[in-house]
Amino acid sequence: MRKITKIEIITRPEKLEVLKQALHAIGVAGMTVSQVFGCGLTKGHTEVYRGAEYSINLLPKIKVETVVCEVPVEAVLETAKRVLRTGQLGDGKIFVYPIENAVRIRTGEEGDIAIIDTDTSGK
Ligand SMILES: Nc1ncnc2c1ncn2[C@@H]1O[C@H](COP(=O)(O)OP(=O)(O)OP(=O)(O)O)[C@@H](O)[C@H]1O
Ligand SMILES: [Mg+2]
């Protein structure tokens, strides 16, 4: 079984579209997107969101989770950094996790085969 990795990207909500398209372009097939609130290391500093300055700690962010096997983790990281970096506070964070197993419920397939695109009829 090939290595399965989850990449979690937390970034600015207005970057969702460009990130989605860039990930699709490198072959990322599945993702989960959540609207979240968060703060990072710079919690004492002021970030601007939609023109308003926030001095409170929690800012609206999006979290994009993708679990990959065939697409190289490095490609996902490089792509995310390329499209998300503005150089301003709050560009976001990326966390990388090893995944122990994956199950495709419809077929019962487990492991790398569960996230590899062998059949497009169920999309
Ligand atoms: N250590 C962490 N644990 C969990 N989530 C985090 C952590 N650091 C950042 N995040 C999440 O990532 C989002 C973006 O973080 P952010 O880019 O502000 O990090 P930072 O370290 O403060 O960097 P910057 O100096 O560029 O602002 C946060 O709002 C939060 O949701
Ligand atoms: Mg910050």
Side-chain angles (χ1 to χ4, degrees):
M1 178 176 109
R2 274 177 294 182
K3 215 174 112 185
I4 307 174
T5 307
K6 178 166 105 168
I7 301 151
E8 179 180 295
I9 303 163
I10 304 171
T11 193
R12 305 178 193 280
E14 61 267 32
K15 288 286 191 177
L16 178 59
E17 276 308 310
V18 70
L19 179 61
K20 231 169 59 183
Q21 276 164 28
L23 291 177
H24 181 72
I26 61 166
V28 167
M31 66 181 75
T32 302
V33 178
S34 322
Q35 295 180 287
V36 296
F37 289 90
C39 65
L41 282 178
T42 50
K43 53 182 177 289
H45 296 230
T46 303
E47 240 183 75
V48 176
Y49 175 69
R50 291 193 175 155
E53 282 204 349
Y54 282 72
S55 53
I56 52 166
N57 286 348
L58 296 176
L59 289 172
K61 299 284 175 185
I62 48 145
K63 181 169 76 175
V64 175
E65 293 161 280
T66 184
V67 174
V68 298
C69 173
E70 287 180 302
V71 176
V73 174
E74 267 314 308
V76 176
L77 299 185
E78 285 309 313
T79 298
K81 287 191 287 183
R82 175 171 52 82
V83 301
L84 299 179
R85 187 173 184 283
T86 69
Q88 305 297 306
L89 294 179
D91 277 350
K93 285 272 168 68
I94 304 173
F95 300 110
V96 180
Y97 308 69
I99 291 287
E100 198 170 294
N101 200 0
V103 180
R104 177 185 269 147
I105 295 171
R106 176 173 59 87
T107 58
E109 292 162 307
E110 293 198 25
D112 54 2
I113 197 78
I115 59 162
I116 288 171
D117 199 4
T118 51
D119 174 5
T120 55
S121 65
K123 275 192 178 164

